Amino acid sequence: MALQIDSERGSVFVTDHCLAVIAGSAAMECYGLVGMASRKQLKDGIAELLGRENWTRGVVIRRENERLHIDLHIIVSYGTRISEVAHNIQSKVGYVMREIAGLQVEEVNIFVQDVRVSS
């Protein structure tokens, strides 16, 4: 389902895929994040590290009562404070979604799937 933004010059439609790319790329800029994880990990039991081309596979965009909710499945770097990494990601994603897409985000939920030693 696309998000519709109306203006005096017409309408702009932004897909959930586009919003997921924006959220995923914003998260990847944060210190302590190794990468995005597959959402299937809950079934498989193995956290699959996804490359740049697969940022959207670790991101879930939901709209509930006209409010935007973002779920991010991530892999953090060993030795970093998980709560700080998660807080930084939440702040960065919320800020970028406001600045780039002009959207207010109700929630940014972080699901830490794994901890890895970054190279």
Side-chain angles (χ1 to χ4, degrees):
M1 171 181 278
L3 173 70
Q4 183 176 344
I5 303 169
D6 295 317
S7 70
E8 65 277 355
R9 294 186 178 158
S11 298
V12 176
F13 296 92
V14 183
T15 64
D16 285 348
H17 178 79
C18 179
L19 296 176
V21 169
I22 293 169
S25 63
M28 288 301 294
E29 293 177 3
C30 294
Y31 176 79
L33 184 67
V34 174
M36 304 302 288
S38 172
R39 294 173 299 190
K40 299 183 299 182
Q41 191 270 338
L42 297 176
K43 288 193 296 188
D44 300 342
I46 300 169
E48 173 187 350
L49 183 63
L50 304 174
R52 285 189 181 273
E53 67 279 355
N54 292 319
W55 282 340
T56 59
R57 285 179 50 197
V59 181
V60 178
I61 303 290
R62 294 178 286 115
R63 280 192 220 98
E64 297 174 3
N65 301 327
E66 301 300 320
R67 305 256 183 189
L68 190 64
H69 299 261
I70 301 173
D71 297 339
L72 297 168
H73 299 262
I74 64 169
I75 298 173
V76 297
S77 177
Y78 177 78
T80 59
R81 180 176 275 172
I82 294 173
S83 62
E84 285 298 314
V85 173
H87 181 265
N88 290 339
I89 292 170
Q90 289 170 325
S91 298
K92 177 76 172 188
V93 169
Y95 172 78
V96 168
M97 295 302 276
R98 277 190 308 276
E99 292 300 310
I100 291 179
L103 299 172
Q104 290 294 332
V105 178
E106 178 79 14
E107 291 180 336
V108 177
N109 299 310
I110 305 293
F111 297 91
V112 179
Q113 303 286 67
D114 201 359
V115 176
R116 299 246 173 108
V117 176
S118 61
S119 53

